[in-house]
């Protein structure tokens, strides 16, 4: 096995980029996302990001500072605009479509492979539609595509500036989500086995790793000061996986996330990276994908954690598939295969059209149970927040004036707290929640003797307050159970213990 640059009969100077069709696919995807972003309302996590953006910090319990910063900027430029809030996710996802096509070009794919890769990415209901909201995964997945493109390009050119650029993007991604270190660990292990071993020997790679570490120091210090809550999220994620079928459903769901065309490209692309001889120099990326799959599966990670690898695997699948089709004889059989591919693309387009939020809210059926709500969290998590805010404001105004002067609001979930902080901040006293990252924003003041409690365990509330009485109820037709559906609003008075003692006990991820 050699560590020299792989031979390429078709370098970028003699293989053109399919600029017009790829940019056309990206443009259509951008239109779909912008139109989708104007539908329904805030997603629960977005409300939390906005609240976190009003409390900017180097670290948070469950994420880095990038999403809160983006949310704060979007809300400052166009207050209340869903498009402005979601624009970073939209732009990066559209860029990822183009970069995935560039990966196909780097792997030796012609215009057909490049367009096929772009279409596969753009018609994946998950890869595309996750960007209709501002989310950590939408940003993280797109950054992974950029990083893998830089790595693939380095394999061909051996230009170390590409590795430095890849580590710079990694440093940014570390401020979004803590998944990217798994990628690099898998890359190092795989390249040592399959090559190019020269990758691990490059000083610039380790210098870039040091840069990533230095950039991450403020966030790491924050985590250390607060007991490493980011690591504690692992147990929470594992528990939540029961709603998506657990380990048994992990691989099938990972394939389904890719979409119809994407599923074919994903499966064939993994095979091509591992077995297709022209792609031998990139075999380590196939092994990297397998290692990441095993790590996320065994650790109880979410099924979409692997989505960042889909761009490079789609590209390998497109290159390998079209090469295989070109070898098929006779011509009639080749035409049948191409016709089948056209049908697959049509099915993918239909699936992505069905995934867009085109339905009138009145035509959407409420979730039948918790499992259905969890599986469709991206839909139901966008409803009910205005009704919740209105109900809490009404409950707060029902308190006597003397009690309102010494009051606060506590919510059961961080989604509820984010909704009130965004939609009713000027009409309510300080909003608190012991849930997830919101718990680290602080407990109610000791001077607050009357609280409006949004949901919560009745026994827990009775243990803390001498007086407890219901003063409202929220039950929206659409929404998420426990957040905007079947939620009791309580008047809680005369805390039995100081919040400095109780809050650490109540805080949970």
């Amino acid at each position: 096995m050699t560590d020299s640059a792989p031979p390429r009969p078709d370098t970028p100077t003699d293989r053109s980029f399919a600029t017009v069709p790829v940019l056309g696919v990206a443009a259509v995807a951008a239109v779909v996302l912008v139109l989708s972003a104007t539908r329904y309302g805030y997603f629960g996590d977005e409300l939390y990001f906005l609240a976190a953006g009003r409390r900017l910090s180097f670290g948070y319990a469950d994420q880095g500072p990038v999403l809160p910063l983006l949310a704060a900027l979007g809300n400052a430029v166009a207050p209340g605009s869903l498009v402005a809030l979601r624009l970073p996710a939209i732009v990066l996802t559209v860029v990822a479509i183009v970069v995935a096509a560039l990966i196909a070009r780097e792997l030796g794919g012609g215009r057909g492979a490049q367009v096929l890769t772009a279409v596969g990415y753009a018609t994946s209901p998950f890869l595309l539609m996750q960007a209709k909201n501002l989310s950590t995964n939408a940003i993280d997945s797109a950054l992974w595509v950029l990083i893998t493109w830089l790595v693939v390009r380095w394999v061909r050119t051996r230009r170390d500036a590409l590795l430095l650029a890849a580590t710079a993007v990694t440093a940014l991604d570390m401020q979004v989500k803590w998944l990217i270190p798994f990628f690099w660990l898998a890359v190092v292990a795989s390249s040592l086995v399959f090559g190019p071993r020269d990758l691990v020997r490059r000083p610039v790679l380790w210098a870039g790793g040091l840069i990533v570490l230095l950039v991450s120091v403020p966030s790491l210090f924050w985590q250390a000061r607060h007991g490493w809550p980011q690591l504690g999220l692992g147990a929470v994620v594992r528990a939540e996986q029961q709603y998506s079928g657990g380990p048994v459903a992990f691989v099938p769901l990972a394939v389904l996330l890719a979409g119809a065309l994407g599923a074919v490209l994903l499966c064939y692309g993994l095979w091509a990276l591992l077995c297709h001889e022209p792609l031998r120099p990139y075999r380590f990326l196939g092994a990297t994908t397998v290692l990441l799959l095993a790590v996320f599966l065994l650790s109880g990670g979410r099924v979409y954690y692997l989505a960042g690898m889909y761009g490079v695997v789609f590209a390998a699948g497109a290159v390998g598939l079209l090469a295989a089709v070109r070898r098929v004889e006779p011509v009639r059989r080749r035409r049948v295969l191409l016709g089948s591919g056209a049908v697959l693309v049509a099915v993918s387009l239909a699936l992505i059209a069905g995934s867009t939020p085109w339905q009138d809210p009145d035509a959407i059926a409420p979730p039948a149970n918790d499992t259905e709500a969890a599986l469709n969290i991206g839909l139901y998590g966008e409803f009910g927040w205005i009704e919740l805010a209105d109900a809490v404001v009404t409950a707060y105004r029902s308190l006597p004036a003397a009690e309102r002067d010494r009051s606060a609001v506590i919510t059961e979930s961080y989604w509820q707290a984010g909704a009130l902080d965004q939609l009713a901040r000027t009409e309510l006293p300080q909003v608190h929640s012991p849930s997830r990252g919101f718990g680290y924003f602080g407990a109610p003041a000791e001077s607050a003797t009357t609280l409006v409690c949004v949901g919560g365990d009745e026994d827990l509330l009775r243990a803390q307050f001498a007086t407890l009485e219901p003063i409202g109820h929220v039950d929206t037709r659409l929404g998420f159970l426990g957040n905007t559906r079947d939620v009791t609003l309580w008047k809680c008075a005369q805390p039995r213990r100081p919040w400095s003692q109780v809050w650490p006990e109540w805080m949970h991820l």
Side-chain angles (χ1 to χ4, degrees):
M1 185 180 299
T2 177
D3 280 342
S4 60
R8 274 283 301 270
D10 47 344
T11 63
T13 56
D14 57 27
R15 180 176 293 279
S16 62
F17 181 57
T19 306
V20 174
V22 168
L23 292 183
V25 172
V28 171
V31 171
V32 170
L33 286 173
V34 170
L35 292 177
S36 297
T38 62
R39 300 285 290 168
Y40 310 150
Y42 291 105
F43 181 62
D45 280 352
E46 292 176 311
L47 293 163
Y48 168 57
F49 298 147
L50 286 163
R54 284 185 282 272
R55 301 162 176 84
L56 287 175
S57 169
F58 284 116
Y60 297 89
D62 46 3
Q63 63 181 319
V66 167
L67 270 294
L69 180 59
L70 290 176
L73 290 174
N75 201 49
V77 170
S81 170
L82 292 175
V83 173
L85 176 67
R86 295 164 174 174
L87 194 59
I90 293 171
V91 170
L92 277 175
T93 298
V94 172
V95 169
I97 293 171
V98 177
V99 174
L102 287 171
I103 295 175
R105 178 176 180 247
E106 288 296 323
L107 296 179
R111 296 169 65 86
Q114 297 164 28
V115 174
L116 187 61
T117 301
V119 172
Y121 202 105
T123 58
S124 164
F126 177 78
L127 291 176
L128 183 69
M129 298 313 298
Q130 68 174 341
K132 76 179 182 66
N133 302 125
L134 180 65
S135 69
T136 55
N137 203 66
I139 305 297
D140 179 62
S141 297
L143 293 178
W144 276 50
V145 175
L146 182 56
I147 291 168
T148 52
W149 171 62
L150 292 167
V151 171
V152 166
R153 188 165 172 79
W154 176 87
V155 172
R156 184 181 62 79
T157 67
R158 293 302 200 268
R159 295 175 185 168
D160 285 350
L162 295 166
L163 289 182
L164 191 61
T167 55
V169 180
T170 299
L172 173 62
D173 198 18
M174 277 292 291
Q175 308 310 307
V176 176
K177 208 166 187 173
W178 282 12
L179 287 182
I180 194 63
F182 292 105
F183 167 80
W184 283 109
L185 289 172
V187 162
V188 168
S190 299
S191 62
L192 286 173
V193 175
F194 297 100
R197 296 189 183 93
D198 195 34
L199 174 65
V200 182
R201 293 196 291 261
R202 286 302 212 238
V204 70
L205 179 68
W206 301 105
L210 181 60
I211 293 172
V212 173
L213 180 61
L214 291 175
V215 171
S216 302
V217 162
S219 180
L220 292 173
F221 274 148
W222 189 96
Q223 289 286 326
R225 287 199 309 270
H226 293 86
W228 300 97
Q230 183 80 240
L231 300 181
L233 275 177
V236 176
V237 170
R238 284 192 294 274
E240 291 175 349
Q241 292 310 97
Q242 62 177 312
Y243 295 110
S244 59
V248 175
F250 192 96
V251 173
L253 285 177
V255 175
L256 287 175
L257 286 181
L261 174 60
V264 175
L265 294 178
L266 184 67
C267 295
Y268 197 89
L270 185 56
W271 175 88
L273 283 171
L274 294 174
C275 303
H276 190 46
E277 189 60 28
L279 295 180
R280 174 182 284 274
Y282 310 97
R283 188 162 295 174
F284 74 103
L285 289 172
T288 294
T289 304
V290 174
L291 281 175
L292 289 171
L293 173 63
V295 168
F296 296 146
L297 174 61
L298 295 176
S299 64
R302 293 192 171 101
V303 66
Y304 54 75
Y305 283 0
L306 197 62
M309 294 300 296
Y310 284 15
V312 67
V313 181
F314 281 10
V319 171
L321 270 174
L322 290 185
V325 169
R326 283 194 296 269
R327 294 192 298 269
V328 170
E329 295 293 347
V331 174
R332 179 181 299 178
R333 186 178 176 188
R334 189 185 312 160
R335 288 173 178 169
V336 170
L337 288 174
L338 292 174
S340 300
V343 171
L344 190 60
V345 170
V347 171
S348 298
L349 291 172
L351 286 176
I352 200 67
S355 300
T356 58
W358 55 269
Q359 282 185 294
D360 186 283
D362 292 336
I364 300 174
N369 48 53
D370 288 357
T371 300
E372 183 181 342
L375 292 175
N376 293 281
I377 189 172
L379 172 64
Y380 295 117
E382 295 188 14
F383 290 100
W385 303 120
I386 294 176
E387 294 90 335
L388 174 72
D390 290 344
V392 174
V393 169
T394 298
Y396 167 70
R397 288 174 176 171
S398 71
L399 300 175
E403 293 182 347
R404 291 201 302 270
D405 291 339
R406 298 172 62 84
S407 66
V409 176
I410 295 181
T411 70
E412 182 177 14
S413 80
Y414 69 103
W415 278 12
Q416 294 169 324
L420 299 180
D421 198 68
Q422 174 67 15
L423 302 175
R425 186 172 62 261
T426 60
E427 301 175 80
L428 292 173
Q430 188 71 36
V431 177
H432 306 270
S433 176
S435 173
R436 192 87 36 121
F438 225 101
Y440 293 85
F441 296 159
E446 302 295 354
S447 59
T449 56
T450 300
L451 294 99
V452 176
C453 296
V454 182
D457 181 86
E458 185 174 350
D459 292 336
L460 187 67
L461 294 177
R462 289 193 184 280
Q464 170 61 5
F465 297 100
T467 301
L468 182 69
E469 61 180 275
I471 56 173
H473 191 258
V474 181
D475 193 18
T476 60
R477 192 183 73 85
L478 299 177
F480 216 69
L481 190 65
N483 278 273
T484 61
R485 301 183 69 211
D486 194 21
V487 177
T488 299
L489 307 181
W490 303 92
K491 173 185 173 181
C492 306
Q494 302 174 24
R496 301 182 189 275
R497 292 193 294 159
W499 288 111
S500 59
Q501 297 178 13
V502 175
W503 202 247
E505 299 174 6
W506 278 23
M507 284 174 59
H508 61 278
L509 294 171

